[in-house]
Amino acid sequence: MSMHPESARAELLAAASGHGWSGPFPALLDPENAHDAAVLILFGVLDREPAVVPDAAVARDLDVLLQRRAPTLSSHPGQVSFPGGRVEPRDADAAATALREAEEETGLDPAGVDVLATLPEIPLAASNHRVTPVLGWWRTPSRVAAIDHAETVEVFRVPVAQLLDPATRYTSVRTFGDRTFRAPAFDVDGTIVWGFTAMVLSGIFDAAGWTVPWNVADERPV
């Protein structure tokens, strides 16, 4: 268990190199017309507010950057997500897409971000995207806030120790078409993190060796 943020950086790097996704991510319904996208999964010491949890599984000042999408959006309205968006022709690669979108959405300075790894792409069935998660480390944190309120309502830093707290975790249950999907989810003081974002976070926590046993049998519909 990493009780110092820099050891967390090393563990994330190791996790990325040997990471296999356990899923199950629903398959794309229309793969022929799917769009490519990228998201930035940004870890680091984002502020000086330590996590308030009884038993921290990682350094209490280790955070991850998330945002809440505007409730008016046609795709994933009101959900908590990573910064990111669709690939544009001018983007050199997935990391460039993720950093550009994160700058547009949160105002962060990409120069302060170390790209640790580009993870395998994951299908996002709800909006028919192939999403490449880009794992980043915030070497030099910069100020962040919701820039375009038509897209993003709120940008916030969530302590990783709080996400790992078994009291925060449960299994979300959702019917998608004629299938029922069960997946990891988080209730962070009433802010629900579920779906793609929660599954990716959970996979990274598993791969980094940070996961604390939690009650998978606690099932709640989303």
Side-chain angles (χ1 to χ4, degrees), residues 14-204:
S17 64
H19 193 54
W21 291 107
S22 54
F25 291 91
L28 295 176
L29 301 175
D30 184 11
E32 304 296 309
N33 293 306
H35 292 282
D36 292 315
V39 294
L40 180 65
I41 307 170
L42 186 58
F43 289 93
V45 181
L46 308 191
D47 55 33
R48 293 295 163 202
E49 296 292 320
V52 184
V53 290
D55 300 302
V58 293
R60 289 178 186 271
D61 53 357
L62 178 67
D63 300 309
V64 63
L65 187 71
L66 297 174
Q67 62 185 25
R68 191 193 311 277
R69 293 168 61 82
T72 48
L73 289 178
S74 58
S75 175
H76 313 287
Q79 284 190 28
V80 173
S81 68
F82 302 114
R86 196 174 285 186
V87 171
E88 293 187 2
R90 69 179 191 269
D91 297 334
D93 52 21
T97 299
L99 289 170
R100 174 184 55 74
E101 285 281 343
E103 182 177 13
E104 290 173 7
E105 291 175 336
T106 74
L108 68 75
D109 181 358
V113 177
D114 289 336
V115 173
L116 300 182
T118 299
L119 301 176
E121 70 177 26
I122 301 170
L124 183 50
S127 56
N128 207 42
H129 282 81
R130 284 181 295 265
V131 182
T132 299
V134 176
L135 194 57
W137 182 261
W138 221 353
R139 184 184 69 257
T140 311
S142 47
R143 186 177 170 275
V144 289
I147 301 295
D148 181 355
H149 286 270
E151 283 200 12
T152 308
V153 176
E154 184 184 9
V155 175
F156 50 97
R157 304 151 172 190
V158 182
V160 175
Q162 188 173 7
L163 290 169
L164 294 170
D165 183 355
T168 300
R169 307 199 63 177
Y170 67 97
T171 297
S172 64
V173 182
R174 187 176 188 224
T175 302
F176 196 86
D178 57 356
R179 297 181 62 189
T180 297
F181 285 92
R182 288 172 172 79
F186 305 86
D187 181 344
V188 184
D189 297 329
T191 295
I192 305 300
V193 184
W194 64 283
F196 176 87
T197 304
M199 292 169 77
V200 171
L201 282 172
S202 187
I204 290 171

Side-chain angles (χ1 to χ4, degrees), residues 2-10 12 44-45 59-62 137:
S2 54
M3 300 317 284
H4 189 274
E6 281 304 316
S7 58
R9 184 185 192 280
L12 286 166
V45 181
R60 289 178 186 271
D61 53 357
L62 178 67
W137 182 261

